[in-house]
Amino acid sequence: MGRVTGRSCIVTGAAQGIGRAISEALLAEGASVCFADINGEKVADISAEYRKTFGANVVTHSQVDVTDRAAVCAMINHTVATFGKLDVKFNNAGVNKPMNFLDVTEENWRFINDVNGLGCLIGMQEAAKQFISQGTFGKIINTASIASRQGFDNVAPYCASKFGVVALTQSGARDLAKHNITVTGFAPGVVDTEMWEQVDQDLMDIGASKRPGQAMEEFSSEILRGRVAKPQDITGTTTFLAAAESDYMTGQIVMIDGGMTLV
Ligand code: NAD
């Protein structure tokens, strides 16, 4: 018996990085998982890989833009049609696009805050409506960040969006408790994923760092555990948040940053 056996889960941003690792860990502990991502081709390929091991009854996928409410509803309906219900919704899809503070544009702000903020809100609302219509206990789990706890230079809109994820987690926990729904989140530090490769390039493009890898080195120099995270460093906690072991928790954000920010 796995830690999440029988739980039907959706993970957004599941085509790569942290979302993919969350999904794989859930499958290994007995869950059914809908891999959801805006990159339809990649998420179809990834989920097809996992179907070879876990079977079509426990792996499905959905192409979804988390800012598109109709697409989010379609993703949830597809998951329920496939697995019979929804138990756990991870709002993990996220984007970043560093800019110097004085250069941040409305377009940059809207792009980041739409996906990381509005996308999280829509995901929470539509999952909650599904739990309420099922009449079952439900769990919503949001991906926050160390940038939810401190403002960092060159990524102000990202930090604002991730502070927003904490606010949504706390507000959602209070609003949805009466419906037997919990809302939690986790806050990674520096995780070696494709996102960081792009951030590294973006920081060079705006002149904030000079060579590949410099930004990650400087950014993570104060990690007490002495190294950046791999996606698999995150998944013990994410499976715990999806499992019955954490059913009494709500409104909390768990830091998983190797001791980078002690808040
Ligand atoms: P990633 O870029 O490797 O993966 C993100 C995935 O989200 C991609 O597959 C992408 O296609 C998908 N996505 C982007 N916009 C989307 C949209 N509108 N709708 C649906 N899917 C969309 O990033 P990652 O490092 O795996 O990050 C995952 C989450 O963790 C994000 O919320 C990120 O902000 C957060 N996070 C990452 C780090 C890190 O160091 N990598 C640290 C803290 C928090």
Side-chain angles (χ1 to χ4, degrees):
M1 182 88 169
R3 292 161 70 197
V4 284
T5 294
R7 293 198 167 192
S8 163
C9 310
I10 296 173
V11 182
T12 64
Q16 63 186 39
I18 294 170
R20 178 179 174 172
I22 291 170
S23 305
E24 182 177 319
L26 291 170
L27 287 172
E29 290 288 346
S32 304
V33 179
C34 175
F35 287 65
D37 203 284
I38 197 168
N39 188 336
E41 205 172 315
K42 190 165 185 187
V43 80
D45 288 349
I46 295 294
S47 57
E49 276 301 306
Y50 289 106
R51 251 178 241 126
K52 288 181 197 159
T53 308
F54 296 100
N57 291 338
V58 289
V59 184
T60 190
H61 73 275
S62 180
Q63 177 177 15
V64 66
D65 176 348
V66 296
T67 67
D68 178 345
R69 190 180 294 276
V72 170
C73 291
M75 168 189 71
I76 291 171
N77 290 339
H78 168 70
T79 305
V80 173
T82 308
F83 302 144
K85 59 177 179 153
L86 178 67
D87 299 305
V88 182
K89 172 77 193 332
F90 279 89
N91 296 305
N92 172 73
V95 293
N96 196 0
K97 184 77 186 163
M99 294 189 87
N100 293 311
F101 189 88
L102 293 179
D103 296 332
V104 169
T105 59
E106 288 83 341
E107 186 190 12
N108 178 260
W109 172 274
R110 288 194 186 109
F111 169 60
I112 294 166
N113 279 276
D114 265 10
V115 177
N116 300 359
L118 180 62
C120 182
L121 174 68
I122 291 173
M124 292 173 69
Q125 290 173 315
E126 297 306 327
K129 288 177 198 167
Q130 178 60 34
F131 298 145
I132 292 166
S133 76
Q134 290 174 182
T136 59
F137 173 62
K139 303 184 91 157
I140 295 169
I141 302 163
N142 298 327
T143 302
S145 170
I146 47 171
S148 299
R149 299 297 194 194
Q150 284 178 217
F152 293 93
D153 49 345
N154 299 312
V155 286
Y158 181 78
C159 295
S161 73
K162 290 296 183 178
F163 270 66
V165 169
V166 176
L168 288 171
T169 302
Q170 294 181 357
S171 294
R174 288 193 197 280
D175 270 319
L176 299 173
K178 57 182 169 293
H179 298 295
N180 201 21
I181 295 167
T182 64
V183 187
T184 56
F186 62 96
V190 180
V191 189
D192 193 2
T193 66
E194 286 91 335
M195 175 180 273
W196 251 103
E197 288 168 22
Q198 186 59 49
V199 166
D200 205 46
Q201 183 60 51
D202 291 340
L203 288 170
M204 284 193 290
D205 291 347
I206 63 170
S209 69
K210 303 222 168 350
R211 58 175 170 81
Q214 182 187 341
M216 192 189 250
E217 279 166 33
E218 288 177 1
F219 206 77
S220 51
S221 61
E222 293 182 10
I223 298 175
L224 298 183
R225 295 289 289 138
R227 62 171 177 82
V228 301
K230 303 182 291 295
Q232 290 71 23
D233 288 313
I234 309 300
T235 56
T237 303
T238 53
T239 300
F240 165 72
L241 291 175
E245 298 157 289
S246 63
D247 281 355
Y248 190 65
M249 286 175 67
T250 194
Q252 298 297 323
I253 302 285
V254 182
M255 302 298 297
I256 323 169
D257 65 349
M260 190 173 165
T261 50
L262 301 184
V263 289

